[in-house]
Amino acid sequence: MRAVIDEDSVLLRIGVVKVLEMAGFEVCAEVADAAGLLTAVEEHRPDIAVVDVRMPPGFTDEGVRAALVIRQQWPDTAVLLLSQYVEERYAVDLLATNTSGVGYLLKQRIADVEEFAESARRVAAGGTALDPQVVAQLLVRRHSDPLDRLTPREREVLELMAGGRSNAGIAAGLVISDSAVAKHINSIFTKLDLPRAEADHRRVLAVLRLLGVANG
């Protein structure tokens, strides 16, 4: 898999490059601003772009705006946003445009090399990776809704789904069987009023409902 890295901190950029190369990625470009990122993605068409939220010249939301352009113009390129702090509106903006091949992690996660590499691989393959702190903060602003119908265990399952875990990954994380996970997920779909429909991906819709990106 091929990657483009956009990070203005030289030391952090070197670290991200090393982690991705160890994970089997080919880093085809390293840039330090949004304009360079868009140029690199257009030229190399990578599997994933790893993007800092705040970049020169304004250090506000340049990375997010560039990520949204990438999702619109080059939808085959996944985007993994990195942020120093939890900024929930950026996660919501990114998820609202496309629910596959997206990630939002705090930069501190890079220190856990194996976990960060796995998250990058998952996003590049079309999955999602949301930092647990991002998920937790998004949940704080939730009001009473169908999510209140979920049991504590079902909520745990749904939060792990939001983090991009597969059924097997959820089972391992909660130390329960795969069949138990499947039962919990079916119950979640029922309680969130997500009937079977070919046009809708119920797993994605459930996660969006959790994060407040989609209304009930």
Side-chain angles (χ1 to χ4, degrees):
M1 290 186 283
R2 304 166 72 243
V4 164
I5 312 300
D6 188 2
E7 169 59 58
D8 64 287
S9 168
V10 175
L11 290 178
L12 186 57
R13 185 167 68 241
I14 291 173
V16 172
V17 169
K18 293 298 183 183
V19 170
L20 292 182
E21 288 180 340
M22 290 170 56
F25 284 87
E26 174 193 349
V27 178
C28 47
E30 304 171 37
V31 299
D33 56 41
L37 170 64
L38 296 178
T39 298
V41 171
E42 182 176 21
E43 177 182 353
H44 298 286
R45 304 298 172 89
D47 297 291
I48 186 172
V50 181
V51 184
D52 186 7
V53 166
R54 299 175 181 267
M55 292 185 296
F59 293 97
T60 55
D61 62 349
E62 291 85 356
V64 179
R65 287 188 278 114
L68 294 174
V69 172
I70 291 171
R71 299 304 284 161
Q72 181 178 31
Q73 296 190 11
W74 303 288
D76 290 336
T77 295
V79 175
L80 175 58
L81 284 178
L82 300 179
S83 180
Q84 191 70 36
Y85 310 103
V86 176
E87 298 174 278
E88 63 181 63
R89 68 186 180 90
Y90 297 150
V92 171
D93 287 347
L94 192 63
L95 286 165
T97 61
N98 197 320
T99 57
S100 63
V102 296
Y104 188 112
L105 298 177
L106 295 182
K107 291 183 178 181
Q108 67 193 51
R109 304 299 173 190
I110 300 172
D112 188 335
V113 174
E114 292 185 4
E115 183 68 24
F116 179 73
E118 174 57 31
S119 295
R121 280 193 291 262
R122 186 163 66 243
V123 172
T128 59
L130 297 179
D131 195 283
Q133 290 189 36
V134 174
V135 173
Q137 188 154 320
L138 288 170
L139 292 177
V140 168
R141 61 186 176 85
R142 296 294 308 185
H143 298 291
S144 179
D145 60 23
L147 288 170
D148 295 334
R149 305 170 187 167
L150 303 184
T151 66
R153 176 62 85 186
E154 289 166 351
R155 179 65 72 106
E156 288 180 318
V157 169
L158 184 52
E159 289 177 5
L160 289 172
M161 285 170 58
R165 298 292 184 89
S166 64
N167 283 21
I170 294 171
L174 298 180
V175 194
I176 57 178
S177 67
D178 288 352
S179 61
V181 171
K183 290 179 181 178
H184 285 312
I185 290 175
N186 284 332
S187 178
I188 289 168
F189 292 157
T190 299
K191 291 180 179 180
L192 295 185
D193 301 318
L194 298 174
R196 293 185 180 277
E198 293 184 4
D200 295 328
H201 191 311
R202 293 195 297 170
R203 195 181 186 98
V204 172
L205 291 175
V207 169
L208 292 179
R209 192 74 59 80
L210 173 71
L211 300 179
V213 178
N215 295 321

